[in-house]
């Protein structure tokens, strides 16, 4: 099996001011400096990305955004382009988080446009997919994940497919404390890898697939031990430096 580098990403969502972001980074850095197996990413609000990037320069932490617009520039009030993110030295971007799909009308078709734009700007897309509770209960999980993955990746150039990071985040597990069982999480991540393999078998071996949804220091090791789970996209537990440091340690040990 390919040795994929573990990927531990904190998604701060709409939390932290610039001062709080710096405070967090200064508390985190000494706790995670002893290893560097896992990639460590902080997905900050637009207003604190510069603070995160300045505070983490020269460290193992990559600064990331939580969204971007697909156009290069233009009359899109309130939006931010990939080029603007690159200008801040941002290296990755969350695309298609379920909160954006649910509250901000993000669609599979928009994501189909956003992924190639991110890659063309050297931003690593952290592409999120996942079913709702109603979809799982109606036995639609496989169909939903297949649709989201196939449409979202449809226009990614073949030679860049391996650079996409995909996060499986079952909507019912986000912020609820209801973590998916390792079996459910592994099955979904394995399905996602098979879907990528249908496009390109080599890329499927390289693509990192993350689990997200109530991942915490006490359940991370078991999730990260699954063959198709290469990391985590962490919300609540990424807001506390001591907790996030433990998650990074779990990634380093995976
Ligand atoms: P929680 O870890 O708070 O459940 O959030 C998961 C998530 O949505 C990360 O993007």
């Amino acid at each position: 099996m390919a040795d994929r580098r573990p990927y531990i990403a904190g998604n701060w969502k709409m939390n932290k001011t610039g001062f709080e972001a710096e405070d967090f980074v200064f508390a985190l850095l000494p706790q995670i400096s002893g290893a560097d197996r896992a990639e460590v990413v902080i997905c900050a609000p637009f207003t604190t990305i510069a603070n995160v990037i300045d505070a983490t320069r020269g460290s193992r932490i990559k600064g990331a955004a939580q969204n971007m617009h697909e156009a290069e520039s233009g009359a899109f009030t309130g939006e931010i382009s990939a080029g603007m993110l690159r200008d801040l030295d941002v290296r990755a971007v969350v695309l298609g988080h379920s909160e954006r799909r649910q509250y901000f009308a993000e669609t599979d078709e928009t994501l189909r446009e956003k992924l190639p734009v991110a890659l063309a700007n050297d931003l690593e897309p952290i592409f999120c997919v996942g079913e709702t509770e109603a979809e799982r209960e109606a036995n639609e999980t496989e169909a939903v994940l297949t649709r989201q993955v196939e449409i979202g990746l449809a226009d990614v150039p073949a030679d860049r497919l391996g650079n996409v990071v995909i996060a499986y985040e079952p909507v019912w597990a986000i912020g609820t404390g209801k973590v998916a069982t390792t079996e459910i999480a592994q099955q979904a991540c394995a399905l996602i890898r098979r879907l990528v393999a249908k496009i390109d078998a080599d890329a499927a071996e390289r693509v990192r697939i993350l689990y997200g949804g109530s991942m915490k220091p006490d359940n991370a090791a078991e999730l990260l031990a699954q063959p198709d789970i290469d990391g985590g996209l962490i919300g609540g537990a990424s807001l506390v430096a001591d907790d996030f440091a433990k998650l990074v340690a779990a990634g380093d040990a995976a």
Side-chain angles (χ1 to χ4, degrees), residues 11 13 97 99 169 173-176 212-215 233-236:
N11 176 10
K13 308 191 180 183
H97 192 279
E99 287 149 17
E169 296 208 308
I174 295 178
T176 57
S214 301
M215 196 187 246
L233 183 57
I234 299 127

Side-chain angles (χ1 to χ4, degrees), residues 136 168 170 172-173 178-185 211-214 219 223:
R136 174 159 287 274
Y168 167 61
W172 46 270
K178 246 205 260 182
V179 65
T181 63
T182 46
E183 194 185 359
I184 287 180
Y211 168 78
S214 301
N219 59 30
L223 287 158

Side-chain angles (χ1 to χ4, degrees), residues 108-122:
D108 294 324
E109 287 302 330
T110 326
L111 292 160
R112 177 183 187 149
E113 292 183 52
K114 287 187 179 189
L115 270 107
V117 173
L119 288 162
N121 283 278
D122 280 329

